[in-house]
Amino acid sequence: MNQAVVVTWSESEQVIARSAFQKAYERAVAQLTAAVQAQAASLSTVESVWALHDFLSIERHTMEGRFDFRLEEILFVFASLVKENLLQLQELDGLDAEKLAKVAAMSRF
């Protein structure tokens, strides 16, 4: 029988995880804002307006899916954020060595 491995988080690890998550979120928002400003500056046709709308719809869906803070899945989220350069492994310093190793390993794929 397969049983899920329960990862425990100390209070200090939860604070570190929450802080790192927030930093990555702020970076993603800054990137999105810059992209939207660049696209909005070049709007000249109704088609370009609809293209911006489509871009925003996709990005909203992506952001809402990516930035879901649940401890049971956060190591996967962190690996994805590291891979996308929205988070640095050093920002997770203070987490258990095994958690850090998992994030580092998963971020390589």
Side-chain angles (χ1 to χ4, degrees), residues 3-107:
Q3 292 185 0
V5 176
V6 176
V7 177
T8 58
W9 292 80
S10 68
E11 285 186 40
S12 63
E13 285 182 314
Q14 290 181 46
V15 169
I16 292 164
R18 191 51 92 172
S19 175
F21 182 85
Q22 186 62 35
K23 287 176 189 175
Y25 179 76
E26 289 169 6
R27 289 179 188 129
V29 168
Q31 285 181 359
L32 176 59
T33 302
V36 170
Q37 288 172 340
Q39 285 189 32
S42 66
L43 293 177
S44 60
T45 65
V46 72
E47 288 81 12
S48 62
V49 172
W50 301 146
L52 177 58
H53 172 270
D54 293 345
F55 171 77
L56 287 170
S57 294
I58 291 166
E59 287 301 309
R60 180 178 183 172
H61 178 75
T62 301
M63 291 277 293
E64 288 174 350
R66 177 186 295 150
F67 289 98
D68 181 11
F69 189 92
R70 288 182 282 165
L71 286 175
E72 58 271 8
E73 297 182 18
I74 200 67
L75 295 179
F76 296 103
V77 173
F78 285 156
S80 172
L81 295 171
V82 168
K83 187 173 184 173
E84 295 172 25
N85 293 316
L86 291 170
L87 185 66
Q88 302 299 311
L89 280 174
Q90 299 86 334
E91 292 172 306
L92 298 172
D93 282 349
L95 296 186
D96 174 84
E98 187 175 327
K99 290 180 183 100
L100 287 172
K102 285 180 182 180
V103 171
M106 289 187 293
S107 70

